[in-house]
Amino acid sequence: MLVGLAGASAVLLGAFGAHALKHVLDTTQHELWRTAVQYHFWHALALAVAVVSRAGKARRLAMWSFALGIVMFSGSLYALALGAPRWVGIVTPFGGVAFILGWVALGVGLKTASRSV
């Protein structure tokens, strides 16, 4: 369910930015939106990999880190693109750290799982 929601929302928000916001956002805002969608999409795919992996205990950490990263990183960029106050940008690096933690957890889990096969 979480993977489907992450992927579908990436597509919806990408289309929304490309069509409905095309003439509303300035160049900087549009770039923020595009970056948010790209990271959202890639990490929805990473979330799917984590869900189907045999990464043991690290799997759960990877899944929730990717989900939290999507909300914090991409969510803060979406908000900034739509005119949220600049202080919202404080959240963005924490989302980036969540993404990094997710990748590390997934890598460690997959490495450990490959040894047990």
Side-chain angles (χ1 to χ4, degrees), residues 17 21-30 33 81-82:
L21 299 178
K22 185 176 186 175
H23 299 295
V24 175
L25 302 179
D26 66 25
T27 304
T28 302
Q29 291 169 307
H30 192 47
W33 193 273
L82 294 174

Side-chain angles (χ1 to χ4, degrees), residues 32-116:
L32 281 172
W33 193 273
R34 177 177 290 173
T35 299
V37 169
Q38 287 176 352
Y39 275 80
H40 187 158
F41 231 126
W42 283 112
H43 289 89
L45 291 172
L47 177 59
V49 170
V51 166
V52 301
S53 75
R54 294 183 177 179
K57 295 177 185 177
R59 173 183 174 260
R60 193 167 182 81
L61 176 60
M63 288 170 45
W64 289 111
S65 294
F66 290 140
L68 184 62
I70 290 169
V71 171
M72 293 177 73
F73 184 88
S74 294
S76 64
L77 292 183
Y78 290 132
L80 289 168
L82 294 174
R86 292 191 67 160
W87 62 262
V88 171
I90 293 169
V91 175
T92 311
F94 293 104
V97 170
F99 284 151
I100 293 165
L101 178 62
W103 283 109
V104 170
L106 183 60
V108 167
L110 291 173
K111 178 68 173 169
T112 303
S114 70
R115 282 189 240 169
S116 66

